[in-house]
Amino acid sequence: MREVLALAGLQVAVVGTGAVGQAMLQVLAERSFPVAGIKVLATSRSAGKKVRFAGEELHVEETTPDAFRGIDLCLFAGGEASKQFARAAVAQGAVVIDNSSTFRLEPDVPLVVPEVNPEAVKSHRGIIANPNCSTIQMVVVLKPLHDAARIKRVVVSTYQAVSGAGAEAMEELRVQAGAVLRDEQAPPPQVFPWPIAFNLFPHIDVFLDNGYCKEEMKMILETQKIMEEPEMRITATTVRVPVFVGHSEAINIETEGKLTAQEARRLLAEAPGVVVEDDPAARLYPLPIRAAGRDEVFVGRIREDLSVERGLALWVVADNLRKGAATNAVQIAELLLEYNLL
Ligand code: 3JN
């Protein structure tokens, strides 16, 4: 019965019409996900708005607990809706893939990056969590290196695009940058704590009692869960930069076994979902402007870390709205189909 359903296509709902919700619709259509019917749900403020899916116009409906009746698969783009409605969607028979942090660390909720821990989806009980964008691109690169030489410690600094904070944050950068270039007074920031145009700040999400930002702790705890290495030592500094799309990360790892830069380059070149761009003499290294619009994770500047006996330094870039959110969520949905779990 399930297989027949999958062949005929699924009833799909996407909750959220922001930058990630729109990317989810685009990726579902691009990858020809078997959709028999689709509805787009959002807050009452966005209800009535029109969005496009596969060349068709859809009217956004208000999210209510009843809106999930008959839905097989529900993608939550993030935000408050997950807390309010994800359980209701599951109660009505939908499988939920949730892009918010709400359920990521719950022991009975798989947290999945298909290139890293695909089998984890098999234990789902209705909800599968999509990791934070900065976590996803990091673990895709760490996994093949960990399998080869066991990573003992990770030090990461991020350079995160404004689209990670949503469509309004992108508009804030656009308006501020325009004002600065015209030598005008920019309006005070609404989304970010400080002006972002021609600036950056080491502050993403709220500060916690331990001195870390919540974004930093998400990267640490989610990576440990996905890699199934709760003891792996990881520290992070997350920084917002004036880039529209594409998160970048400077990552230093310390390994138990020795990996040369050349070995790491070969392992990464063979790893699923990874593209090695590493020819500094030709000025080739990953860039957000090249990663934007792509689904792979790009890695370059691969070199042996001179400060430790066995360690590597890497530069990793990916499209935070696609691989960091929408594409990873749709890949999880594809896994569910492959494993007959929908
Ligand atoms: O700022 C970024 O670049 C990523 C932001 C992610 C984010 C923003 C608001 C709420 C999340 C997330 O995915 O962790 C959440 C959240 O769900 O907690």
Side-chain angles (χ1 to χ4, degrees):
M1 177 59 199
R2 289 282 184 194
E3 269 167 78
V4 174
L5 197 69
L7 285 177
L10 298 163
Q11 294 296 330
V12 177
V14 172
V15 184
T17 56
V20 172
Q22 305 250 6
M24 283 173 164
L25 291 171
Q26 188 168 343
V27 173
L28 283 168
E30 275 174 18
R31 297 173 77 99
S32 303
F33 189 81
V35 173
I38 190 158
K39 57 162 86 172
V40 180
L41 302 169
T43 56
S44 55
R45 197 163 49 94
S46 297
K49 198 171 129 179
K50 290 173 193 143
V51 291
R52 294 199 75 78
F53 173 72
E56 277 179 53
E57 206 165 69
L58 302 175
H59 287 262
V60 177
E61 296 168 50
E62 183 176 352
T63 320
T64 64
D66 288 340
F68 302 98
R69 209 163 280 156
I71 295 295
D72 303 304
L73 173 71
C74 185
L75 305 181
F76 279 79
E80 288 304 300
S82 310
K83 284 190 189 69
Q84 253 184 298
F85 297 110
R87 299 266 184 219
V90 173
Q92 296 191 46
V95 175
V96 166
I97 300 172
D98 180 42
N99 191 48
S100 81
S101 62
T102 312
F103 307 104
R104 287 181 192 146
L105 299 180
E106 291 196 4
D108 64 347
V109 173
L111 181 62
V112 178
V113 177
E115 293 87 344
V116 179
N117 61 338
E119 300 282 320
V121 288
K122 291 182 176 168
S123 64
H124 90 79
R125 292 157 71 174
I127 300 178
I128 298 137
N130 208 42
N132 177 274
C133 40
S134 297
T135 306
I136 291 175
Q137 67 183 70
M138 180 163 82
V139 295
V140 167
V141 163
L142 294 187
K143 172 71 174 163
L145 303 176
H146 186 58
D147 286 348
R150 281 200 70 77
I151 295 170
K152 290 197 295 189
R153 180 163 184 251
V154 180
V155 179
V156 56
S157 298
T158 69
Y159 306 68
Q160 296 183 219
V162 294
S163 53
E168 286 159 22
M170 297 173 82
E171 187 58 18
E172 187 155 300
L173 171 57
R174 204 171 283 123
V175 168
Q176 280 173 9
V180 172
L181 292 172
R182 289 190 303 273
D183 212 10
E184 291 166 9
Q185 178 82 33
Q190 302 281 322
V191 179
F192 292 126
W194 294 100
I196 185 63
F198 307 97
N199 191 27
L200 54 81
F201 33 81
H203 178 178
I204 300 185
D205 209 331
V206 294
F207 282 103
L208 303 172
D209 289 344
N210 66 0
Y212 282 75
C213 294
K214 200 166 168 195
E215 182 80 354
E216 292 159 354
M217 290 311 299
K218 286 175 184 172
M219 288 187 77
I220 295 166
L221 299 171
E222 292 176 19
T223 298
Q224 290 169 337
K225 176 168 175 175
I226 296 163
M227 308 273 291
E228 293 177 48
E229 293 289 1
E231 305 296 324
M232 187 182 279
R233 286 179 291 156
I234 308 172
T235 186
T237 302
T238 54
V239 181
R240 185 74 66 193
V241 298
V243 167
F244 282 107
V245 176
H247 285 4
S248 305
E249 299 178 347
I251 304 176
N252 287 73
I253 61 169
E254 205 179 331
T255 52
E256 260 174 42
K258 172 74 184 169
L259 270 184
T260 66
Q262 199 50 40
E263 283 163 346
R265 230 172 261 123
R266 184 184 56 76
L267 289 167
L268 289 165
E270 289 168 2
V274 176
V275 175
V276 175
E277 289 185 329
D278 197 14
D279 187 359
R283 295 183 295 189
L284 181 67
Y285 29 73
L287 296 175
I289 54 170
R290 260 204 311 269
R294 301 278 301 267
D295 289 315
E296 306 94 328
V297 176
F298 297 85
V299 56
R301 299 294 320 281
I302 302 163
R303 60 207 190 277
E304 283 150 52
D305 181 337
L306 297 175
S307 70
V308 291
E309 208 178 311
R310 288 182 282 273
L312 294 169
L314 312 145
W315 175 250
V316 175
V317 181
D319 184 323
N320 53 298
L321 298 175
R322 292 183 65 98
K323 184 56 188 166
T327 302
N328 199 74
V330 174
Q331 286 176 309
I332 293 171
E334 290 169 349
L335 268 184
L336 290 170
L337 276 184
E338 188 184 320
Y339 295 153
N340 247 321
L341 292 171
L342 267 178

